[in-house]
């Protein structure tokens, strides 16, 4: 704690979140005391771990208005996305050979669908509008008689926009097509209701919602029943859908994180929205020539994706590295010098994409931090512009 002052202000809650202290406290005994294998059926060590896992399953189910039997624990949203897309693709191979997905999906969805494309699945890649949203009509028009799966993310990890999933869900149910959604960025930010939204498969991630890394879930609808082929062969855990020993301490933490969200969402959303608006207004007041990427209304409360004309985002992040932790695009692709494919998909030029950064306010952010961040960012932008350090996008993109 003594070090906190010296550390950069964390505004990258869409890359990951710290584990909430209440989550940490819930997990600790399951590492050292109640350490049993939740699949051991012959003694109390196993039973207590199993009981704790089932409490967590109920906590996750409550958060999304599901039946606990529909919650399958995985290692994270990457695994859940692979499981849903490849699992449905393989189950229906030869009968339903078409899938639909957005061009702005997370890398692990894009790559899983491209994998199916190499295995004789025909794919319709949907464009989004300039605000980052897809029209439900565009989804409806893409569905064919042999469509097995529509995959539309609930909240985008770069620009924070919220897709009209309830409308898309109604269309998919009507046309008898599975709807999968990557909701890793939605938990703890908006209310998720798998019934109201007619979701059939949904991917969740612990570390995006103040739980631990290495745990996630796939929601799998029971009525009407969703069929897919499991990725993992083994002991048949998780109703044979996902073999492997469940990491009980992580499952417990994930469940606790969900319980906190179910209790506190409204209050937390209002507080974070205020801080985000303070940050955005502060930046816009102090800095000329800015632009905001993605819909302003259909957007989660913590996210900002903002461009500073004439400033290269890599130089900006470098100038800020001791003061504010922000990112350009997603953590998974930020090692590449290619401009963000999400920003390209909403129509930005390479130059504008290379001038844009993502900031995300979260549970631990304070008003004081926001004011310090505004000062640090506006100083850095001013210095970079003054030094004539204009964007070098042309050279890096070439
Ligand atoms: C972080 C993230 C993932 C990957 O989740 P992991 O649990 O880290 O595998 C998938 N999709 C989206 C939208 C994400 O933000």
């Amino acid at each position: 704690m003594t070090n906190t002052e010296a550390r950069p202000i964390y505004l990258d809650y869409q890359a990951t979140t710290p584990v909430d202290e209440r989550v940490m406290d819930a997990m600790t005994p399951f590492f050292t005391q109640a350490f049993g294998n939740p699949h051991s059926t012959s003694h109390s060590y196993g039973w207590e771990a199993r009981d704790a896992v089932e409490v967590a399953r109920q906590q996750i189910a409550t958060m999304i208005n599901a039946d606990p039997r529909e919650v399958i624990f995985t290692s994270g949203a990457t695994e859940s996305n692979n499981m849903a897309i490849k699992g449905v693709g393989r189950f229906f191979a030869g009968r339903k050979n078409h899938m639909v997905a957005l061009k702005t999906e997370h890398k692990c969805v894009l790559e899983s669908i491209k994998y199916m494309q190499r295995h004789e699945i025909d794919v319709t890649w949907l464009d989004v509008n300039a605000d980052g949203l897809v029209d439900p009509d565009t989804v409806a028009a893409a569905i064919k008689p042999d469509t097995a799966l529509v995959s539309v993310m609930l909240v985008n990890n770069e620009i924070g926009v919220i897709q009209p999933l309830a409308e898309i869900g109604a269309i998919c149910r009507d046309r008898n097509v599975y709807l999968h959604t990557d909701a890793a960025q939605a938990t703890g930010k908006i209310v998720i209701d798998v019934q109201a939204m007619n979701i059939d498969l949904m991917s969740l991630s612990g570390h995006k919602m103040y739980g631990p890394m290495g745990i996630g879930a796939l929601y799998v609808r029971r009525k009407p029943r969703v069929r897919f082929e499991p990725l993992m062969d083994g002991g048949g855990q998780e109703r044979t859908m996902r073999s492997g020993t469940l990491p009980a301490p992580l499952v417990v933490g994930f469940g606790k994180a969900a319980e906190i969200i179910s209790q506190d969402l409204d209050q937390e959303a209002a507080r974070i929205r205020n801080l985000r608006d303070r940050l955005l207004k502060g930046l816009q007041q102090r800095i000329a020539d800015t632009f905001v990427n993605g819909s302003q209304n259909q957007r989660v409360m913590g996210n900002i994706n903002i461009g500073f004309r004439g400033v290269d985002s890599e130089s900006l992040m470098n100038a800020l590295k001791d003061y504010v932790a922000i990112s350009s695009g997603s953590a998974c692709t930020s090692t590449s010098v290619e401009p963000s494919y999400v920003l390209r998909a909403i129509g930005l030029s390479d130059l504008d994409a290379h001038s844009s950064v993502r900031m995300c306010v979260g549970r631990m952010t304070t008003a004081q931090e926001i004011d310090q961040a505004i000062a640090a960012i506006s100083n850095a932008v001013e210095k970079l512009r003054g030094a004539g350090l204009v964007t070098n996008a042309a050279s890096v993109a070439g």
Side-chain angles (χ1 to χ4, degrees), residues 14 76-78 81 106 108 153 155 157 182 184-185 205 207-208:
Q14 281 186 266
T78 299
N81 285 332
H106 189 272
C108 59
M153 71 199 313
V155 172
N157 45 300
D182 177 353
Q185 292 288 349
S205 173
H207 75 97
K208 303 289 176 69

Side-chain angles (χ1 to χ4, degrees), residues 171-224:
I171 292 165
C172 291
R173 180 58 48 85
D174 183 51
R175 304 281 293 272
N176 209 13
V177 173
Y178 290 159
L179 172 63
H180 164 252
T181 188
D182 177 353
Q185 292 288 349
T187 46
K189 297 176 185 142
I190 58 171
V191 173
I192 302 174
D193 185 329
V194 293
Q195 306 309 339
M197 293 172 164
N198 281 306
I199 294 165
D200 297 302
L201 292 144
M202 179 166 70
S203 306
L204 303 174
S205 173
H207 75 97
K208 303 289 176 69
M209 47 181 266
Y210 309 94
M213 289 174 176
I215 185 74
L218 181 66
Y219 162 80
V220 182
R221 177 173 290 281
R222 282 168 68 87
K223 281 180 198 159

Side-chain angles (χ1 to χ4, degrees), residues 29-106:
F30 290 90
F31 284 108
T32 50
Q33 291 148 31
F35 57 80
N37 183 326
H39 313 294
S40 292
T41 53
S42 57
H43 50 67
S44 59
Y45 290 90
W47 304 332
E48 66 188 348
R50 180 203 57 205
D51 290 350
V53 163
E54 294 315 315
V55 168
R57 201 186 301 283
Q58 179 65 63
Q59 288 165 326
I60 302 287
T62 300
M63 177 179 68
I64 59 174
N65 192 24
D67 183 296
R69 291 170 297 178
E70 298 175 312
V71 176
I72 305 302
F73 289 113
T74 66
S75 62
T78 299
E79 184 186 337
S80 301
N81 285 332
N82 271 266
M83 214 166 131
I85 292 161
K86 295 177 183 174
V88 167
R90 287 170 187 164
F91 187 87
F92 290 98
R95 290 174 286 157
K96 290 185 169 189
N97 294 319
H98 178 240
M99 291 186 179
V100 177
L102 299 189
K103 289 184 179 170
T104 54
E105 293 292 327
H106 189 272

